[in-house]
Structures are given as C-alpha cells and as structure tokens.
Amino acid sequence: MNYGQVEKEALALIFAVTRFHKMLYGRHFLLQTDHQPLLKVFGSKKGIPVYTANRLQRWAFTLLLYDFDIQHVSSTNFGYADFLSRLMSSQHRPDEDYVIAAVCVESEAKAVLDDTISNLPVTHQMIVAETRKDPVLQQVVNFLNEGWPANAKQVADPDVKKFFARRDGLQVVDNCVMFDDRIVVPSKFRKRIVRQLHRGHPGMDRMKSLARSYIYWPNVDDDVEQFVRQCTACAEAAKSPTKATLESWPLPDKPWQRVHIDFAGPIHGYYYFVMVDAFSKWPEVFRTQSVTTTATPNMLRETFSRYGNPDTLVSDNGTQFTSEQFQQYCRANGFTHLRTAPYHPQSNGQAERFVDSLKRGLKKLAKGEGSATLEHMQTFLSAYRSIPNRNTPQSTSPAEAFLGRPVRTTLGLLKKPVPVTEAVKNHKQNEQFNWRHGAVKREFEEDDLVYVEQHRRNAKSWIPG
C-alpha cells in the first residue's frame, strides 16, 4: 500500500510473469501494460537505468530470466486485463466503442455469475419467493383456496391441468404448494434441483427414490430419466449394456462365396495364415514368417488362382487388412472386403474357430517332437478336410462340399477295390494313327519267345525275352 504508482504497475507485471512461470519460461511472449514508464525500466535496450529505484532494479533482474517483448497499450483498449476496475457500468464514456465493450464484458460477467449461482443449492426461502412469481403455481393456489373445477376440461392452462389429477393430495403450507409431504418446485428451479439430486451421480432408480422423499412436479420421473441419460460422466463410466440379439452371418449358396481369413501365431516362430470357406468349411493354411501387408495379398493370389476370387472376404482389423494397399488389392480383384467390429473376435468366428482347432491339432501332432513342422500341418489339413462336419450341407466332409467328391485317404484301402471299367475307345483316332504309321496288329500268347527293345545309357538293343 506504500508503493508508488510505478511500483504498483511493475509489481503487477512481476506477479503475472512469476505466476505463469511454468508456461512462460523458455518461450518468447509479449508482455503488455498500460503504464508507459515501465517500458523504460523493463524494455530499454541500453540496460536498466542507473537512476531506477532499487526495488525496480531487482524486479528488472528477475525479468531478465524470460524472453519477452514489452508493449504499451492504452487503457481504453486494455479492457480484458482491468475490466473489473475500469469497465464498470457506472463509468460511462462518450466513446461508443468503449460503451459496447463495457456491455460485452458485463454480459460475460453476468453469464459467469449466473452459472455460479445455478450451482448453489435451492433453499426453502427461494422456493417461497419463486412460488409467488410462478403463474402456474399461483393458479394452483387459487384453485386450492377457492375450489377446483368439476372436471379437467374447465382448466384452460395445460400446465395447471397436469395438477388436476393430484388435486386431493395438494395443499398450501407456509406459502408453498405441497403434495403430501413433498414440496412442489417452481419451474425455474427444477433443473437445478435435478442437478442437485444427481450430484453424486447415483443411478436412475435411486434418484427417483430420493426425489420422492423431497420434491414433486408433474412428470418429475421423466425429467430425472432424461437428465441421467444425457449425463456424459455416467455414460462413460457405465457398465456394458445387455447383449443385443445375435445376428449370424447369412448362409452362402455355393462354395467360395464368402471366405474368412485370419492370422494365427506366432507358434514356434511361425505364423499361420488361415482361409476358411463359409459354405464348405474348406481350409487353406500358409505357414509364413512374414505378416506384412505385401506378403498377405501374395498368399491370397496363390489360393485364388486355384479356386477363383470369392464374392466377400471377411477379416479382423489387423494392420495387414486395413492398409490402403490391401484395400486397393480388393478393389482391383472385384470382391467386397468386410471388417469385423473391433475387439469382438466373435464376428469372425469362422476363422477364429478354425485357428483354435489348428493350434490344438499342431500341439497334439508335435507332442514329444518339439516344434510343429510343415508335415504336421499337412497331416492336420488332410484329416480335417476328409472328416464329416455337421456345419456343412448334409453334414458331409469339407472336401465333398467344396470339391463335390470325397478325397481319397489311406482309409479307402479298407474297402474292396472297385473293378476298373474299360474305357470307351476312340475308333477314329485309332484308325488315323494306324494308317499314318502303317501299324500292324500283333497278338501274343503266354510263354511266347520275343525280342524286347532295351534302353540303357542312351543306347538301345534287342534282347531275347
């Protein structure tokens, strides 16, 4: 309080800079003041004037730690810094721009004040005062004192009509409208009351239970429910909702119409790229050490060159499948690429289920031999493709559903061999060959003596046989 005006203005600068030290230190900033003499003290390029008071010199040394430029701004244009002391409604200026600025600042201050007041609790005295001003509650008070109409149709105001069904439980106590032992809240305070009920973010049902102990207005439960549904904090911390109904993939009509893909592993240093046909459950597996975006389309090209392109390709959201290069590959080959929901592997259950079967199968085959080999993978695929699957049409094996025939395995040796029928001869081709080469039909009997042409070391000779 004993400082001079220059020292007071200088102290304001020191306070501001040191207050925001963490945000200003090491950065270049602009320091503005409406006190022009400070430019000589803190902004002189010739150094600190020797005739400056000791206190100002100490402050000047403090500001040497910072990188700033100091600038003078006239008081009329400095409202955002000192509007509390200068831009009051009682200080009118002839300058129209100044008056507009003062009104703007006053409106902003009023908005901040209203927001602060809205967070204060509602008291009984406030409700009494607002009840006298509320037109709806005043009509309710008149009806309570003079008697309600015979039916609701005689009540003109729709807001007052909402109280007609509760008229037997309404009464006036201490200049407030009461519904049984609950106070009827004027419309002005209803949102504030709901915020007050939701202060600890209780659930919807507990808020209703708490409200029924203190307050009442028409549709109070609906207002509580709507407020809780719009609370962002409650939504972010809420539990996962009840599961929605299951929507399975549509059943394809033919093989290789929809293919599910996924990567399994790493298993003993290798990844397994899995492709499963949704119709026949026919699997294709690649053993690889690369899971890059470039390697993935190469494995797909190799498979699609044998069986053709599918209509739809389903994958998860791995980086190999979400890259622009992979999307371009899908567009160039004319099939639709669908990605499943993030963190929901059940959406790609066709591939995920086979991945689980593959891991278990390789683990069983490689038991006691260390890591699974390529031969183990081929053994597993051979067995899987030939075993009947209850999820295929007619519960056939994947090979029958995909290739239209069962694949031959060593188990086929258990059946009696079927005699091979003689092939139909192409008589026209035979006649053309015989005529061109002058062929003569020969017939041999068992134990006939013949000569046989023998080829050995690029030389041929006739030997008896």
Side-chain angles (χ1 to χ4, degrees):
M1 293 181 63
N2 295 327
Y3 287 180
Q5 187 61 31
V6 176
E7 293 173 328
K8 291 179 180 179
E9 296 286 347
L11 181 60
L13 298 184
I14 294 296
F15 172 80
V17 172
T18 55
R19 179 76 170 184
F20 298 108
H21 170 79
K22 293 183 178 180
M23 288 163 277
L24 297 178
Y25 187 75
R27 296 182 179 181
H28 182 78
F29 60 94
L30 181 64
L31 190 60
Q32 294 181 333
T33 177
D34 61 349
H35 198 69
Q36 193 166 9
L38 293 181
L39 271 65
K40 296 291 184 180
V41 179
F42 298 143
S44 177
K45 296 182 180 180
K46 298 180 180 180
I48 303 173
V50 294
Y51 52 83
T52 306
N54 293 338
R55 182 179 292 115
L56 294 178
Q57 289 185 9
R58 291 198 303 272
W59 288 343
F61 285 129
T62 301
L63 293 181
L64 289 177
L65 298 173
Y66 301 92
D67 180 17
F68 66 95
D69 293 329
I70 190 167
Q71 180 185 14
H72 173 258
V73 180
S74 62
S75 298
T76 56
N77 298 324
F78 209 47
Y80 48 81
D82 57 358
F83 73 95
L84 289 177
S85 61
R86 296 182 181 274
L87 301 183
M88 297 303 238
S89 58
S90 59
Q91 295 187 6
H92 298 289
R93 289 291 203 82
D95 188 357
E96 184 177 358
D97 294 337
Y98 182 87
V99 175
I100 293 176
V103 172
C104 293
V105 172
E106 185 179 0
S107 63
E108 293 177 4
K110 185 177 183 300
V112 174
L113 182 62
D114 291 342
D115 184 64
T116 303
I117 292 176
S118 64
N119 293 324
L120 295 177
V122 180
T123 63
H124 181 268
Q125 291 78 8
M126 296 168 65
I127 292 182
V128 171
E130 189 59 31
T131 301
R132 295 193 183 100
K133 302 177 184 178
D134 193 293
V136 175
L137 292 185
Q138 285 303 304
Q139 293 184 53
V140 173
V141 171
N142 292 335
F143 283 133
L144 290 174
N145 294 332
E146 300 174 3
W148 287 88
N151 54 66
K153 294 182 180 179
Q154 298 179 2
V155 181
D157 194 334
D159 293 329
V160 179
K161 191 180 296 185
K162 297 176 181 178
F163 287 92
F164 185 83
R166 305 286 187 180
R167 63 188 183 278
D168 294 335
L170 296 173
Q171 57 183 329
V172 179
V173 179
D174 295 334
N175 297 322
C176 291
V177 181
M178 303 290 294
F179 176 65
D180 293 335
D181 59 343
R182 299 154 62 182
I183 190 167
V184 178
V185 180
S187 58
K188 178 179 178 180
F189 295 134
R190 289 175 185 176
K191 289 185 178 180
R192 291 175 60 179
I193 290 290
V194 173
R195 273 200 300 270
Q196 194 170 339
L197 292 172
H198 197 63
R199 180 183 177 186
H201 296 278
M204 191 180 296
D205 294 334
R206 289 192 292 171
M207 273 189 67
K208 292 180 184 178
S209 178
L210 182 62
R212 295 187 189 108
S213 302
Y214 293 95
I215 59 170
Y216 173 79
W217 65 78
N219 301 323
V220 59
D221 288 350
D222 295 339
D223 293 345
V224 168
E225 292 178 2
Q226 186 68 18
F227 186 87
V228 174
R229 290 192 184 101
Q230 295 177 353
C231 180
T232 305
C234 289
E236 292 176 351
K239 299 178 181 179
S240 298
T242 305
K243 288 185 177 296
T245 55
L246 182 64
E247 294 292 339
S248 300
W249 287 96
L251 296 176
D253 302 326
K254 56 185 179 181
W256 217 243
Q257 188 173 3
R258 188 179 72 244
V259 176
H260 295 253
I261 61 177
D262 194 14
F263 274 100
I267 304 174
H268 302 295
Y270 289 95
Y271 290 91
Y272 293 86
F273 183 50
V274 171
M275 288 174 274
V276 182
D277 174 35
F279 178 83
S280 63
K281 318 307 176 190
W282 174 273
E284 287 287 337
V285 181
F286 285 86
R287 188 186 188 203
T288 178
Q289 289 182 322
S290 176
V291 294
T292 61
T293 305
T294 304
T296 303
N298 292 336
M299 292 182 282
L300 291 175
R301 287 190 190 96
E302 183 177 343
T303 304
F304 295 164
S305 65
R306 291 194 291 264
Y307 308 121
N309 294 334
D311 295 339
T312 305
L313 194 67
V314 181
S315 72
D316 56 18
N317 292 274
T319 55
Q320 308 92 343
F321 310 126
T322 58
S323 65
E324 180 59 29
Q325 181 179 349
F326 190 83
Q327 300 304 318
Q328 179 62 31
Y329 166 75
C330 295
R331 290 192 294 266
N333 288 273
F335 50 80
T336 304
H337 178 213
L338 300 180
R339 299 200 300 267
T340 59
Y343 302 101
H344 196 264
Q346 298 92 324
S347 301
N348 196 18
Q350 191 73 72
E352 295 288 346
R353 182 66 185 85
F354 179 78
V355 165
D356 181 67
S357 300
L358 176 64
K359 289 180 178 180
R360 293 177 183 273
L362 294 178
K363 185 177 181 180
K364 296 172 184 176
L365 290 170
K367 186 176 181 180
E369 301 181 20
S371 61
T373 63
L374 190 60
E375 182 181 355
H376 292 147
M377 185 189 76
Q378 293 167 349
T379 302
F380 171 81
L381 287 178
S382 177
Y384 187 90
R385 290 166 175 167
S386 61
I387 297 175
N389 191 319
R390 62 182 179 180
N391 294 320
T392 60
Q394 290 85 41
S395 298
T396 58
S397 66
E400 290 182 81
F402 185 66
L403 302 175
R405 63 175 178 84
V407 293
R408 186 171 182 271
T409 63
T410 54
L411 295 175
L413 299 174
L414 300 175
K415 296 183 178 180
K416 182 179 180 180
V418 179
V420 180
T421 58
E422 185 178 359
V424 178
K425 296 181 180 180
N426 191 337
H427 297 288
K428 187 175 181 180
Q429 181 179 352
N430 295 349
E431 292 175 359
Q432 185 179 9
F433 178 86
N434 296 338
W435 174 82
R436 183 175 181 180
H437 297 280
V440 179
K441 184 175 181 181
R442 295 184 176 89
E443 294 181 356
F444 299 94
E445 301 259 347
E446 191 174 353
D447 295 330
D448 284 351
L449 297 177
V450 296
Y451 278 92
V452 180
E453 188 178 52
Q454 184 182 41
H455 295 262
R456 180 178 294 177
R457 297 178 182 177
N458 296 328
K460 62 182 180 178
S461 61
W462 293 92
I463 61 174

